[in-house]
PDB file of all heavy atoms in Angstrom:
ATOM      1  N   THR Z 165     -49.923  -3.511 -78.125  1.00 71.00           N
ATOM      2  CA  THR Z 165     -51.146  -3.503 -77.317  1.00 71.00           C
ATOM      3  C   THR Z 165     -52.254  -4.225 -78.075  1.00 71.00           C
ATOM      4  O   THR Z 165     -52.550  -3.888 -79.221  1.00 71.00           O
ATOM      5  CB  THR Z 165     -51.577  -2.065 -77.001  1.00 71.00           C
ATOM      6  OG1 THR Z 165     -50.522  -1.405 -76.293  1.00 71.00           O
ATOM      7  CG2 THR Z 165     -52.836  -2.054 -76.148  1.00 71.00           C
ATOM      8  N   PHE Z 166     -52.838  -5.244 -77.422  1.00 76.00           N
ATOM      9  CA  PHE Z 166     -53.919  -6.020 -78.024  1.00 76.00           C
ATOM     10  C   PHE Z 166     -55.224  -5.745 -77.274  1.00 76.00           C
ATOM     11  O   PHE Z 166     -55.237  -5.675 -76.034  1.00 76.00           O
ATOM     12  CB  PHE Z 166     -53.617  -7.521 -77.974  1.00 76.00           C
ATOM     13  CG  PHE Z 166     -52.489  -7.945 -78.880  1.00 76.00           C
ATOM     14  CD1 PHE Z 166     -51.184  -7.914 -78.428  1.00 76.00           C
ATOM     15  CD2 PHE Z 166     -52.737  -8.363 -80.170  1.00 76.00           C
ATOM     16  CE1 PHE Z 166     -50.126  -8.289 -79.257  1.00 76.00           C
ATOM     17  CE2 PHE Z 166     -51.706  -8.754 -81.001  1.00 76.00           C
ATOM     18  CZ  PHE Z 166     -50.399  -8.720 -80.548  1.00 76.00           C
ATOM     19  N   ILE Z 167     -56.278  -5.575 -78.021  1.00 78.00           N
ATOM     20  CA  ILE Z 167     -57.620  -5.414 -77.442  1.00 78.00           C
ATOM     21  C   ILE Z 167     -58.322  -6.761 -77.550  1.00 78.00           C
ATOM     22  O   ILE Z 167     -58.411  -7.326 -78.651  1.00 78.00           O
ATOM     23  CB  ILE Z 167     -58.410  -4.327 -78.182  1.00 78.00           C
ATOM     24  CG1 ILE Z 167     -57.668  -2.994 -78.107  1.00 78.00           C
ATOM     25  CG2 ILE Z 167     -59.809  -4.190 -77.606  1.00 78.00           C
ATOM     26  CD1 ILE Z 167     -58.295  -1.895 -78.944  1.00 78.00           C
ATOM     27  N   TRP Z 168     -58.773  -7.291 -76.419  1.00 80.00           N
ATOM     28  CA  TRP Z 168     -59.362  -8.625 -76.430  1.00 80.00           C
ATOM     29  C   TRP Z 168     -60.786  -8.616 -75.872  1.00 80.00           C
ATOM     30  O   TRP Z 168     -61.183  -7.709 -75.143  1.00 80.00           O
ATOM     31  CB  TRP Z 168     -58.507  -9.625 -75.658  1.00 80.00           C
ATOM     32  CG  TRP Z 168     -58.255  -9.237 -74.213  1.00 80.00           C
ATOM     33  CD1 TRP Z 168     -57.175  -8.581 -73.717  1.00 80.00           C
ATOM     34  CD2 TRP Z 168     -59.111  -9.495 -73.095  1.00 80.00           C
ATOM     35  NE1 TRP Z 168     -57.292  -8.405 -72.364  1.00 80.00           N
ATOM     36  CE2 TRP Z 168     -58.472  -8.961 -71.949  1.00 80.00           C
ATOM     37  CE3 TRP Z 168     -60.340 -10.126 -72.937  1.00 80.00           C
ATOM     38  CZ2 TRP Z 168     -59.023  -9.049 -70.681  1.00 80.00           C
ATOM     39  CZ3 TRP Z 168     -60.909 -10.202 -71.675  1.00 80.00           C
ATOM     40  CH2 TRP Z 168     -60.240  -9.670 -70.561  1.00 80.00           C
ATOM     41  N   GLU Z 169     -61.504  -9.636 -76.248  1.00 82.00           N
ATOM     42  CA  GLU Z 169     -62.864  -9.861 -75.748  1.00 82.00           C
ATOM     43  C   GLU Z 169     -63.025 -11.360 -75.505  1.00 82.00           C
ATOM     44  O   GLU Z 169     -62.600 -12.177 -76.324  1.00 82.00           O
ATOM     45  CB  GLU Z 169     -63.897  -9.369 -76.758  1.00 82.00           C
ATOM     46  CG  GLU Z 169     -65.335  -9.545 -76.299  1.00 82.00           C
ATOM     47  CD  GLU Z 169     -66.330  -9.022 -77.314  1.00 82.00           C
ATOM     48  OE1 GLU Z 169     -66.043  -7.965 -77.926  1.00 82.00           O
ATOM     49  OE2 GLU Z 169     -67.378  -9.672 -77.515  1.00 82.00           O
ATOM     50  N   GLY Z 170     -63.609 -11.727 -74.375  1.00 82.00           N
ATOM     51  CA  GLY Z 170     -63.750 -13.137 -74.057  1.00 82.00           C
ATOM     52  C   GLY Z 170     -64.882 -13.392 -73.056  1.00 82.00           C
ATOM     53  O   GLY Z 170     -65.634 -12.471 -72.698  1.00 82.00           O
ATOM     54  N   LYS Z 171     -64.984 -14.658 -72.625  1.00 82.00           N
ATOM     55  CA  LYS Z 171     -66.006 -15.057 -71.662  1.00 82.00           C
ATOM     56  C   LYS Z 171     -65.324 -15.660 -70.439  1.00 82.00           C
ATOM     57  O   LYS Z 171     -64.394 -16.467 -70.567  1.00 82.00           O
ATOM     58  CB  LYS Z 171     -66.957 -16.090 -72.271  1.00 82.00           C
ATOM     59  CG  LYS Z 171     -67.788 -15.549 -73.434  1.00 82.00           C
ATOM     60  CD  LYS Z 171     -68.731 -16.612 -73.970  1.00 82.00           C
ATOM     61  CE  LYS Z 171     -69.575 -16.086 -75.120  1.00 82.00           C
ATOM     62  NZ  LYS Z 171     -70.503 -17.115 -75.645  1.00 82.00           N
ATOM     63  N   ASP Z 172     -65.814 -15.240 -69.249  1.00 81.00           N
ATOM     64  CA  ASP Z 172     -65.246 -15.810 -68.035  1.00 81.00           C
ATOM     65  C   ASP Z 172     -65.942 -17.140 -67.727  1.00 81.00           C
ATOM     66  O   ASP Z 172     -66.733 -17.669 -68.537  1.00 81.00           O
ATOM     67  CB  ASP Z 172     -65.360 -14.825 -66.873  1.00 81.00           C
ATOM     68  CG  ASP Z 172     -66.803 -14.442 -66.563  1.00 81.00           C
ATOM     69  OD1 ASP Z 172     -67.723 -15.094 -67.123  1.00 81.00           O
ATOM     70  OD2 ASP Z 172     -67.006 -13.503 -65.766  1.00 81.00           O
ATOM     71  N   LYS Z 173     -65.682 -17.702 -66.541  1.00 79.00           N
ATOM     72  CA  LYS Z 173     -66.216 -19.015 -66.185  1.00 79.00           C
ATOM     73  C   LYS Z 173     -67.732 -19.047 -66.091  1.00 79.00           C
ATOM     74  O   LYS Z 173     -68.359 -20.104 -66.236  1.00 79.00           O
ATOM     75  CB  LYS Z 173     -65.603 -19.471 -64.861  1.00 79.00           C
ATOM     76  CG  LYS Z 173     -64.096 -19.682 -64.945  1.00 79.00           C
ATOM     77  CD  LYS Z 173     -63.513 -20.068 -63.608  1.00 79.00           C
ATOM     78  CE  LYS Z 173     -62.011 -20.287 -63.704  1.00 79.00           C
ATOM     79  NZ  LYS Z 173     -61.400 -20.653 -62.401  1.00 79.00           N
ATOM     80  N   THR Z 174     -68.322 -17.862 -65.824  1.00 79.00           N
ATOM     81  CA  THR Z 174     -69.791 -17.805 -65.716  1.00 79.00           C
ATOM     82  C   THR Z 174     -70.456 -17.501 -67.053  1.00 79.00           C
ATOM     83  O   THR Z 174     -71.678 -17.399 -67.123  1.00 79.00           O
ATOM     84  CB  THR Z 174     -70.198 -16.730 -64.687  1.00 79.00           C
ATOM     85  OG1 THR Z 174     -69.737 -15.434 -65.152  1.00 79.00           O
ATOM     86  CG2 THR Z 174     -69.583 -17.013 -63.330  1.00 79.00           C
ATOM     87  N   GLY Z 175     -69.655 -17.325 -68.102  1.00 77.00           N
ATOM     88  CA  GLY Z 175     -70.208 -17.007 -69.418  1.00 77.00           C
ATOM     89  C   GLY Z 175     -70.403 -15.537 -69.665  1.00 77.00           C
ATOM     90  O   GLY Z 175     -70.944 -15.130 -70.706  1.00 77.00           O
ATOM     91  N   LYS Z 176     -69.969 -14.700 -68.729  1.00 83.00           N
ATOM     92  CA  LYS Z 176     -70.112 -13.253 -68.882  1.00 83.00           C
ATOM     93  C   LYS Z 176     -69.064 -12.710 -69.846  1.00 83.00           C
ATOM     94  O   LYS Z 176     -67.906 -13.121 -69.813  1.00 83.00           O
ATOM     95  CB  LYS Z 176     -69.974 -12.586 -67.509  1.00 83.00           C
ATOM     96  CG  LYS Z 176     -70.164 -11.083 -67.535  1.00 83.00           C
ATOM     97  CD  LYS Z 176     -69.972 -10.498 -66.147  1.00 83.00           C
ATOM     98  CE  LYS Z 176     -70.076  -8.984 -66.169  1.00 83.00           C
ATOM     99  NZ  LYS Z 176     -69.852  -8.392 -64.823  1.00 83.00           N
ATOM    100  N   ILE Z 177     -69.481 -11.767 -70.704  1.00 82.00           N
ATOM    101  CA  ILE Z 177     -68.564 -11.146 -71.659  1.00 82.00           C
ATOM    102  C   ILE Z 177     -67.664 -10.156 -70.916  1.00 82.00           C
ATOM    103  O   ILE Z 177     -68.149  -9.276 -70.199  1.00 82.00           O
ATOM    104  CB  ILE Z 177     -69.322 -10.423 -72.779  1.00 82.00           C
ATOM    105  CG1 ILE Z 177     -70.165 -11.415 -73.587  1.00 82.00           C
ATOM    106  CG2 ILE Z 177     -68.355  -9.685 -73.704  1.00 82.00           C
ATOM    107  CD1 ILE Z 177     -69.348 -12.405 -74.382  1.00 82.00           C
ATOM    108  N   VAL Z 178     -66.364 -10.317 -71.073  1.00 80.00           N
ATOM    109  CA  VAL Z 178     -65.397  -9.407 -70.473  1.00 80.00           C
ATOM    110  C   VAL Z 178     -64.483  -8.882 -71.573  1.00 80.00           C
ATOM    111  O   VAL Z 178     -64.211  -9.563 -72.568  1.00 80.00           O
ATOM    112  CB  VAL Z 178     -64.568 -10.096 -69.364  1.00 80.00           C
ATOM    113  CG1 VAL Z 178     -65.415 -10.371 -68.147  1.00 80.00           C
ATOM    114  CG2 VAL Z 178     -63.921 -11.369 -69.885  1.00 80.00           C
ATOM    115  N   ARG Z 179     -64.007  -7.667 -71.390  1.00 80.00           N
ATOM    116  CA  ARG Z 179     -63.132  -7.026 -72.372  1.00 80.00           C
ATOM    117  C   ARG Z 179     -61.948  -6.394 -71.653  1.00 80.00           C
ATOM    118  O   ARG Z 179     -62.015  -6.111 -70.466  1.00 80.00           O
ATOM    119  CB  ARG Z 179     -63.881  -5.953 -73.171  1.00 80.00           C
ATOM    120  CG  ARG Z 179     -65.061  -6.491 -73.958  1.00 80.00           C
ATOM    121  CD  ARG Z 179     -65.772  -5.361 -74.677  1.00 80.00           C
ATOM    122  NE  ARG Z 179     -66.938  -5.840 -75.423  1.00 80.00           N
ATOM    123  CZ  ARG Z 179     -68.146  -5.981 -74.921  1.00 80.00           C
ATOM    124  NH1 ARG Z 179     -68.358  -5.692 -73.628  1.00 80.00           N
ATOM    125  NH2 ARG Z 179     -69.144  -6.425 -75.673  1.00 80.00           N
ATOM    126  N   GLY Z 180     -60.891  -6.156 -72.396  1.00 76.00           N
ATOM    127  CA  GLY Z 180     -59.727  -5.519 -71.802  1.00 76.00           C
ATOM    128  C   GLY Z 180     -58.613  -5.328 -72.810  1.00 76.00           C
ATOM    129  O   GLY Z 180     -58.772  -5.555 -74.005  1.00 76.00           O
ATOM    130  N   GLU Z 181     -57.475  -4.908 -72.303  1.00 72.00           N
ATOM    131  CA  GLU Z 181     -56.286  -4.692 -73.117  1.00 72.00           C
ATOM    132  C   GLU Z 181     -55.118  -5.419 -72.491  1.00 72.00           C
ATOM    133  O   GLU Z 181     -55.054  -5.605 -71.269  1.00 72.00           O
ATOM    134  CB  GLU Z 181     -55.957  -3.192 -73.232  1.00 72.00           C
ATOM    135  CG  GLU Z 181     -56.992  -2.380 -73.970  1.00 72.00           C
ATOM    136  CD  GLU Z 181     -56.596  -0.914 -74.044  1.00 72.00           C
ATOM    137  OE1 GLU Z 181     -55.498  -0.585 -73.543  1.00 72.00           O
ATOM    138  OE2 GLU Z 181     -57.364  -0.111 -74.598  1.00 72.00           O
ATOM    139  N   MET Z 182     -54.164  -5.815 -73.319  1.00 75.00           N
ATOM    140  CA  MET Z 182     -52.977  -6.502 -72.827  1.00 75.00           C
ATOM    141  C   MET Z 182     -51.818  -6.157 -73.761  1.00 75.00           C
ATOM    142  O   MET Z 182     -51.986  -6.124 -74.981  1.00 75.00           O
ATOM    143  CB  MET Z 182     -53.201  -8.012 -72.785  1.00 75.00           C
ATOM    144  CG  MET Z 182     -52.055  -8.782 -72.155  1.00 75.00           C
ATOM    145  SD  MET Z 182     -52.358 -10.572 -72.138  1.00 75.00           S
ATOM    146  CE  MET Z 182     -53.846 -10.660 -71.136  1.00 75.00           C
ATOM    147  N   ARG Z 183     -50.676  -5.914 -73.169  1.00 71.00           N
ATOM    148  CA  ARG Z 183     -49.480  -5.606 -73.962  1.00 71.00           C
ATOM    149  C   ARG Z 183     -48.581  -6.832 -73.997  1.00 71.00           C
ATOM    150  O   ARG Z 183     -48.036  -7.247 -72.967  1.00 71.00           O
ATOM    151  CB  ARG Z 183     -48.747  -4.405 -73.383  1.00 71.00           C
ATOM    152  CG  ARG Z 183     -47.672  -3.864 -74.301  1.00 71.00           C
ATOM    153  CD  ARG Z 183     -47.251  -2.466 -73.924  1.00 71.00           C
ATOM    154  NE  ARG Z 183     -46.232  -1.961 -74.818  1.00 71.00           N
ATOM    155  CZ  ARG Z 183     -46.452  -1.408 -75.994  1.00 71.00           C
ATOM    156  NH1 ARG Z 183     -47.709  -1.269 -76.402  1.00 71.00           N
ATOM    157  NH2 ARG Z 183     -45.477  -0.985 -76.766  1.00 71.00           N
ATOM    158  N   CYS Z 184     -48.458  -7.432 -75.168  1.00 74.00           N
ATOM    159  CA  CYS Z 184     -47.671  -8.655 -75.331  1.00 74.00           C
ATOM    160  C   CYS Z 184     -46.954  -8.616 -76.678  1.00 74.00           C
ATOM    161  O   CYS Z 184     -47.156  -7.710 -77.493  1.00 74.00           O
ATOM    162  CB  CYS Z 184     -48.571  -9.887 -75.265  1.00 74.00           C
ATOM    163  SG  CYS Z 184     -49.312 -10.153 -73.646  1.00 74.00           S
ATOM    164  N   ALA Z 185     -46.138  -9.649 -76.881  1.00 74.00           N
ATOM    165  CA  ALA Z 185     -45.363  -9.709 -78.116  1.00 74.00           C
ATOM    166  C   ALA Z 185     -46.186 -10.237 -79.284  1.00 74.00           C
ATOM    167  O   ALA Z 185     -45.919  -9.903 -80.437  1.00 74.00           O
ATOM    168  CB  ALA Z 185     -44.127 -10.589 -77.913  1.00 74.00           C
ATOM    169  N   SER Z 186     -47.196 -11.082 -79.019  1.00 78.00           N
ATOM    170  CA  SER Z 186     -47.965 -11.659 -80.111  1.00 78.00           C
ATOM    171  C   SER Z 186     -49.372 -12.010 -79.624  1.00 78.00           C
ATOM    172  O   SER Z 186     -49.649 -12.048 -78.422  1.00 78.00           O
ATOM    173  CB  SER Z 186     -47.278 -12.908 -80.664  1.00 78.00           C
ATOM    174  OG  SER Z 186     -47.262 -13.932 -79.689  1.00 78.00           O
ATOM    175  N   GLU Z 187     -50.227 -12.331 -80.582  1.00 78.00           N
ATOM    176  CA  GLU Z 187     -51.611 -12.702 -80.255  1.00 78.00           C
ATOM    177  C   GLU Z 187     -51.663 -14.019 -79.515  1.00 78.00           C
ATOM    178  O   GLU Z 187     -52.527 -14.238 -78.644  1.00 78.00           O
ATOM    179  CB  GLU Z 187     -52.416 -12.782 -81.559  1.00 78.00           C
ATOM    180  CG  GLU Z 187     -53.899 -13.035 -81.367  1.00 78.00           C
ATOM    181  CD  GLU Z 187     -54.655 -13.010 -82.668  1.00 78.00           C
ATOM    182  OE1 GLU Z 187     -54.221 -12.304 -83.607  1.00 78.00           O
ATOM    183  OE2 GLU Z 187     -55.688 -13.705 -82.751  1.00 78.00           O
ATOM    184  N   ALA Z 188     -50.725 -14.932 -79.827  1.00 82.00           N
ATOM    185  CA  ALA Z 188     -50.692 -16.235 -79.161  1.00 82.00           C
ATOM    186  C   ALA Z 188     -50.429 -16.089 -77.662  1.00 82.00           C
ATOM    187  O   ALA Z 188     -51.017 -16.803 -76.843  1.00 82.00           O
ATOM    188  CB  ALA Z 188     -49.627 -17.129 -79.803  1.00 82.00           C
ATOM    189  N   VAL Z 189     -49.557 -15.135 -77.310  1.00 82.00           N
ATOM    190  CA  VAL Z 189     -49.267 -14.904 -75.891  1.00 82.00           C
ATOM    191  C   VAL Z 189     -50.505 -14.389 -75.174  1.00 82.00           C
ATOM    192  O   VAL Z 189     -50.787 -14.768 -74.027  1.00 82.00           O
ATOM    193  CB  VAL Z 189     -48.087 -13.921 -75.735  1.00 82.00           C
ATOM    194  CG1 VAL Z 189     -47.821 -13.623 -74.267  1.00 82.00           C
ATOM    195  CG2 VAL Z 189     -46.834 -14.456 -76.404  1.00 82.00           C
ATOM    196  N   VAL Z 190     -51.276 -13.541 -75.853  1.00 79.00           N
ATOM    197  CA  VAL Z 190     -52.513 -13.017 -75.260  1.00 79.00           C
ATOM    198  C   VAL Z 190     -53.488 -14.169 -74.985  1.00 79.00           C
ATOM    199  O   VAL Z 190     -54.072 -14.272 -73.890  1.00 79.00           O
ATOM    200  CB  VAL Z 190     -53.160 -11.974 -76.198  1.00 79.00           C
ATOM    201  CG1 VAL Z 190     -54.483 -11.476 -75.600  1.00 79.00           C
ATOM    202  CG2 VAL Z 190     -52.220 -10.808 -76.424  1.00 79.00           C
ATOM    203  N   ASN Z 191     -53.675 -15.050 -75.958  1.00 81.00           N
ATOM    204  CA  ASN Z 191     -54.591 -16.177 -75.795  1.00 81.00           C
ATOM    205  C   ASN Z 191     -54.167 -17.089 -74.649  1.00 81.00           C
ATOM    206  O   ASN Z 191     -54.982 -17.525 -73.829  1.00 81.00           O
ATOM    207  CB  ASN Z 191     -54.677 -16.986 -77.097  1.00 81.00           C
ATOM    208  CG  ASN Z 191     -55.410 -16.223 -78.202  1.00 81.00           C
ATOM    209  OD1 ASN Z 191     -56.329 -15.461 -77.920  1.00 81.00           O
ATOM    210  ND2 ASN Z 191     -55.000 -16.442 -79.440  1.00 81.00           N
ATOM    211  N   THR Z 192     -52.852 -17.361 -74.573  1.00 84.00           N
ATOM    212  CA  THR Z 192     -52.343 -18.220 -73.505  1.00 84.00           C
ATOM    213  C   THR Z 192     -52.558 -17.605 -72.142  1.00 84.00           C
ATOM    214  O   THR Z 192     -52.993 -18.263 -71.183  1.00 84.00           O
ATOM    215  CB  THR Z 192     -50.841 -18.499 -73.732  1.00 84.00           C
ATOM    216  OG1 THR Z 192     -50.672 -19.069 -75.030  1.00 84.00           O
ATOM    217  CG2 THR Z 192     -50.301 -19.438 -72.672  1.00 84.00           C
ATOM    218  N   THR Z 193     -52.245 -16.305 -72.032  1.00 84.00           N
ATOM    219  CA  THR Z 193     -52.388 -15.604 -70.747  1.00 84.00           C
ATOM    220  C   THR Z 193     -53.846 -15.571 -70.301  1.00 84.00           C
ATOM    221  O   THR Z 193     -54.161 -15.765 -69.113  1.00 84.00           O
ATOM    222  CB  THR Z 193     -51.831 -14.183 -70.854  1.00 84.00           C
ATOM    223  OG1 THR Z 193     -50.488 -14.225 -71.337  1.00 84.00           O
ATOM    224  CG2 THR Z 193     -51.859 -13.480 -69.511  1.00 84.00           C
ATOM    225  N   LEU Z 194     -54.753 -15.329 -71.234  1.00 82.00           N
ATOM    226  CA  LEU Z 194     -56.179 -15.267 -70.884  1.00 82.00           C
ATOM    227  C   LEU Z 194     -56.689 -16.635 -70.423  1.00 82.00           C
ATOM    228  O   LEU Z 194     -57.468 -16.723 -69.461  1.00 82.00           O
ATOM    229  CB  LEU Z 194     -56.993 -14.779 -72.085  1.00 82.00           C
ATOM    230  CG  LEU Z 194     -56.819 -13.295 -72.471  1.00 82.00           C
ATOM    231  CD1 LEU Z 194     -57.584 -12.981 -73.749  1.00 82.00           C
ATOM    232  CD2 LEU Z 194     -57.294 -12.391 -71.339  1.00 82.00           C
TER     233      LEU Z 194
END
């Protein structure tokens, strides 16, 4: 389980969780 934080298309900060095999998969999916 990875906890992530990012920005959507409008620049708004969004947060969430994702269950993946690696951090690279999380970045790609986001």
Side-chain angles (χ1 to χ4, degrees):
T165 301
F166 291 88
I167 301 173
W168 57 264
E169 181 179 321
K171 295 181 180 180
D172 60 10
K173 295 178 180 179
T174 62
K176 182 181 177 182
I177 298 293
V178 290
R179 300 178 181 87
E181 294 180 2
M182 186 180 299
R183 191 163 181 83
C184 294
S186 66
E187 185 176 332
V189 177
V190 178
N191 290 327
T192 304
T193 306
L194 290 175

